[in-house]
């Protein structure tokens, strides 16, 4: 089996907007993690959470990664947080990544930082391929 990976890069906060994938369902501009009036959802671990884009992102990431931390068949998620240096976003994106630090989570304050980050991710992916 080959290692599978997703590189997820975002340049903004997770906010609801008119015309987004949710068609403004979460309102225009409120922080996605603060929306509480859209009911509850069941997370992959069986716990309940508010139905909002932040929690949906966490649920999707958990399903992609697999529920077992050492599952060799799980997809690895590399996250690059670009420019937006918001502590709440950082916490969310570290939870989305396979692990909350390098080589799975990176903060790129500007375009110049991206080259080194992509090189580090590529080197890690190459190492995964060689080991398996």
């Amino acid at each position: 089996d080959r290692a599978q990976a997703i590189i997820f890069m975002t340049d903004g906060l997770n906010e609801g907007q008119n015309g987004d994938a949710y068609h403004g369902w979460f309102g225009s501009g409120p922080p996605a993690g603060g929306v509480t009036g859209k009911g509850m959802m069941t997370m992959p671990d069986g716990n309940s959470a508010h139905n909002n884009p932040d929690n949906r992102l966490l649920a999707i990431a958990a399903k992609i990664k697999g529920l077992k931390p050492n599952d060799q068949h799980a997809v690895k998620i590399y996250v690059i947080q670009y420019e937006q240096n918001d502590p709440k976003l950082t916490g969310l994106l570290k939870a989305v990544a396979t692990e909350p630090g390098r080589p799975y989570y990176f903060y790129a304050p500007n375009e110049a930082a991206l080259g080194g980050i992509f090189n580090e991710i590529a080197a890690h992916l190459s190492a995964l391929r060689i080991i398996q």
Side-chain angles (χ1 to χ4, degrees):
D1 292 331
R2 291 184 179 203
Q4 297 181 28
I6 293 172
I7 300 173
F8 177 66
M9 182 174 149
T10 182
D11 65 350
L13 298 171
N14 195 6
E15 296 180 346
Q17 297 293 328
N18 291 322
D20 67 9
Y22 299 107
H23 304 289
W25 194 64
F26 289 101
S28 180
V35 177
T36 59
K38 300 299 179 187
M40 301 298 282
M41 61 184 279
T42 302
M43 299 297 280
D45 63 4
N47 290 322
S48 292
H50 289 288
N51 181 14
N52 61 40
D54 280 3
N55 287 331
R56 288 180 179 199
L57 176 61
L58 291 171
I60 290 168
K63 288 180 182 179
I64 289 170
K65 291 185 286 188
L67 298 177
K68 300 175 187 170
N70 295 320
D71 183 359
Q72 295 301 313
H73 299 286
V75 176
K76 306 295 184 198
I77 301 178
Y78 296 84
V79 174
I80 302 169
Q81 180 179 342
Y82 181 64
E83 287 186 340
Q84 189 65 250
N85 190 11
D86 178 88
K88 186 173 181 189
L89 178 63
T90 299
L92 174 68
L93 295 178
K94 284 184 173 187
V96 168
T98 295
E99 293 178 10
R102 281 181 138 85
Y104 296 104
Y105 167 82
F106 298 89
Y107 171 67
N110 53 46
E111 184 180 343
L114 290 174
I117 290 170
F118 280 111
N119 285 336
E120 189 172 336
I121 291 171
H124 191 256
L125 287 170
S126 296
L128 287 176
R129 201 168 308 124
I130 292 169
I131 291 170
Q132 291 183 353

